[in-house]
Amino acid sequence: MTIVLGAIADDFTGATDLANNLVRSGMRCLQVIGVPGTDLDVSEVDAVVVALKSRSCPADEAVADSLAALAWLQAQGAQQFFFKYCSTFDSTARGNIGPVADALMERLGVTQTVMVPAFPVNGRTVYQGHLFVGDRLLNDSGMQHHPLTPMTDADLVRVLASQTPHPVGLVPRPVLDQGAETTRQHLAALAEQGVRHVICDTLDEHDLDVLAEACEAMPLVTGGSGLGQALPDRYRRLGWLDEIAEPGRLQPASGSALVLSGSCSRATLAQVAHFLKRHPGFSLDPLALAESDAQLQAALDFARDTLKSGGPVLVYASADPEKVKAAQARLGVERAGQLVERALGQLAATLVSEGVGRLVVAGGETSGAVVSALKLNTLRIGEQIDPGVPWTQAHLESREAPLSLALKSGNFGGVDFFTRAFEVLP
Ligand SMILES: Nc1ncnc2c1ncn2[C@@H]1O[C@H](COP(=O)(O)OP(=O)(O)O)[C@@H](O)[C@H]1O
Ligand SMILES: O=C(O)[C@@H](O)C(=O)COP(=O)(O)O
């Protein structure tokens, strides 16, 4: 058995988001953490999403990790490859979207790919190459304050052009409006001009369906999870998939409930404030974490004590842009982030070993740190809590019952996400 789709996601919440959409569109999908060994059995799945932590690391590391993931997915016989990045096109000054896309294209021997970040159900749309979050341009959406990947330009053609030596083109909405064949012709005309990367306008699900059809023959597609929503139907029409798979059911959850948040995105800040009005929480400060382990120990004591009643309890470093900037000015951007990630990873490892069985993590980099600290290998996808965020389950050697885990992307989820997540968990 070979898989149909092999995906490489540049962060862990993004990987779960894509896997969730593939499952909801009827594919059997497994999320793996990092590049797996040769012994992983994929005979029961149609798609594998490899979760990497390659969004904000140096570009050469991101390229090396992505190529290793590609080689593994090629060995599983994937018929199409998907490079998944954020629906807000989160990038550093050097990439990593451009360098990784270039490297994947070169390795696959392809001369063109599409760039489809839109996720309309969560308000991410693209028009005239400009990315909107709801009714705001990207650079006015709160993403301009992101601690690691501040997005200060909504013009994706320009953003991508600064990350690749190759020309960048656009599929504008009027072309999409004329359907998949016209879109394919437009892509072919751009290819003749040597345009390798094509940013695609997308206003709604119908545009995603047109794009999925227009690029069905491309070995590599790139984008957000919205495109993932549209691909399975194409695969069924092409005869690559037989049927619509029912999403698998997760085992009943057990253990106490913990929320760890390292996301400073607008949606998360509102979710933290909402939670703290109802349940206990402990605030971490990178400046204190830099001094000694005293604050980490205090957070652990607080969580242990409040978890005696089963939780939920929240430990968070989430802070408004002024506080984040102040910490970064003292510690440096990288160190401030690493201190928080390390602390939340250590808390997760300790508290899960002591009985936490239901864990929500907010933030993509944060989820990477927590999942790595827990040494998880694979995630099974379960019920969706909000668009883009499902419950998942993972097996740990130290726990008989599986760990229920929700990895929440910074800007996803309703304001009551941190409480409702536990209510919808079977
Ligand atoms: N108070 C803080 N000061 C500085 N950096 C912080 C603070 N709190 C969290 N961070 C860092 O900000 C980054 C947030 O990124 P991430 O977890 O990906 O969230 P999001 O999903 O919102 O993008 C992480 O590296 C985290 O460690
Ligand atoms: O596409 C998206 O918006 C998400 O899947 C995603 O990539 C999440 O990243 P973070 O916001 O950094 O959690």
Side-chain angles (χ1 to χ4, degrees):
M1 275 290 283
T2 56
I3 58 172
V4 174
L5 179 68
I8 303 163
D10 70 352
D11 86 342
F12 287 39
T13 44
T16 313
D17 174 16
L18 175 60
N20 178 52
N21 274 354
L22 294 172
V23 166
R24 290 171 65 79
S25 296
M27 281 183 105
R28 299 170 305 162
C29 177
L30 184 68
Q31 178 172 341
V32 298
I33 309 302
V35 182
T38 46
D39 54 342
L40 184 73
D41 179 10
V42 295
S43 58
E44 300 292 314
V45 296
D46 309 308
V48 176
V49 181
V50 179
L52 299 178
K53 201 170 182 302
S54 56
R55 184 173 293 175
S56 46
C57 66
D60 52 351
E61 265 175 47
V63 166
D65 290 352
S66 305
L67 288 177
L70 176 66
W72 187 87
L73 292 165
Q74 284 178 303
Q76 313 313 314
Q79 283 165 266
Q80 191 168 46
F81 299 92
F82 191 134
F83 170 33
K84 159 73 177 70
Y85 41 77
C86 196
S87 61
T88 43
F89 216 72
D90 298 14
S91 324
T92 64
R94 294 234 16 244
N96 296 334
I97 296 175
V100 170
D102 282 333
L104 296 175
M105 288 171 76
E106 195 181 326
R107 184 63 56 88
L108 288 165
V110 300
T111 50
Q112 192 180 63
T113 190
V114 286
M115 306 242 146
V116 188
F119 190 14
V121 72
N122 269 351
R124 278 82 164 148
T125 55
V126 180
Y127 187 63
Q128 304 286 12
H130 288 65
L131 180 53
F132 289 82
V133 179
D135 62 357
R136 312 309 300 166
L137 281 165
L138 176 64
N139 55 297
D140 192 25
S141 69
M143 281 305 297
Q144 69 273 31
H145 300 305
H146 191 281
L148 305 177
T149 49
M151 297 304 292
T152 54
D153 188 357
D155 181 342
L156 298 188
V157 174
R158 191 162 53 200
V159 172
L160 189 63
S162 72
Q163 299 181 12
T164 172
H166 303 292
V168 179
L170 176 71
V171 172
R173 184 79 200 329
V175 170
L176 281 180
D177 223 16
Q178 293 174 57
E181 188 46 43
T182 307
T183 304
R184 249 193 300 263
Q185 287 164 11
H186 183 81
L187 287 166
L190 289 173
E192 271 186 25
Q193 296 160 31
V195 174
R196 292 168 70 88
H197 304 286
V198 188
I199 300 284
C200 299
D201 276 1
T202 312
L203 294 189
D204 53 27
E205 265 80 20
H206 175 70
D207 291 346
L208 289 170
D209 290 337
V210 171
L211 284 165
E213 185 178 350
C215 63
E216 65 190 18
M218 283 186 175
L220 175 71
V221 294
T222 85
S225 68
L227 184 60
Q229 204 175 292
L231 290 175
D233 188 46
R234 287 316 311 160
Y235 299 153
R236 276 188 287 271
R237 285 171 197 263
L238 289 165
W240 297 357
L241 274 180
D242 302 333
E243 54 197 45
I244 302 183
E246 285 297 319
R249 291 197 71 76
L250 299 181
Q251 291 181 38
S254 61
S256 51
L258 174 68
V259 183
L260 296 173
S261 178
S263 161
C264 301
S265 297
R266 261 188 205 167
T268 305
L269 294 180
Q271 289 155 353
V272 167
H274 184 274
F275 183 94
L276 291 175
K277 287 194 191 127
R278 290 156 184 83
H279 299 284
F282 189 101
S283 160
L284 293 173
D285 174 5
L287 294 170
L289 293 172
E291 295 281 308
S292 74
D293 278 343
Q295 193 180 59
L296 182 56
Q297 187 57 49
L300 196 53
D301 293 343
F302 175 87
R304 278 181 175 140
D305 197 42
T306 44
L307 281 169
K308 281 181 193 150
S309 63
V313 60
L314 166 69
V315 182
Y316 63 103
S318 313
D320 59 38
E322 287 70 36
K323 278 203 191 127
V324 171
K325 280 205 180 77
Q328 290 178 334
R330 292 269 299 278
L331 301 167
V333 171
E334 205 174 316
R335 179 137 190 269
Q338 280 170 356
L339 283 163
V340 168
E341 291 180 31
R342 182 178 144 264
L344 292 174
Q346 286 182 349
L347 285 167
T350 307
L351 293 169
V352 166
S353 76
E354 294 176 2
V356 164
R358 295 171 291 152
L359 177 61
V360 171
V361 187
E365 295 297 320
T366 308
S367 294
V370 166
V371 167
S372 305
L374 291 171
K375 302 191 171 60
L376 305 181
N377 296 323
T378 56
L379 298 182
R380 285 194 56 210
I381 306 296
E383 284 77 7
Q384 174 173 287
I385 306 163
D386 270 330
V389 199
W391 273 109
T392 70
Q393 272 183 346
H395 280 280
L396 282 167
E397 272 176 25
S398 59
R399 255 182 84 83
E400 207 171 302
L403 171 71
S404 297
L405 180 68
L407 306 179
K408 191 199 79 74
S409 156
N411 271 315
F412 287 179
V415 71
D416 59 350
F417 185 92
F418 291 158
T419 46
R420 200 163 34 79
F422 298 108
E423 289 159 18
V424 304
L425 183 60

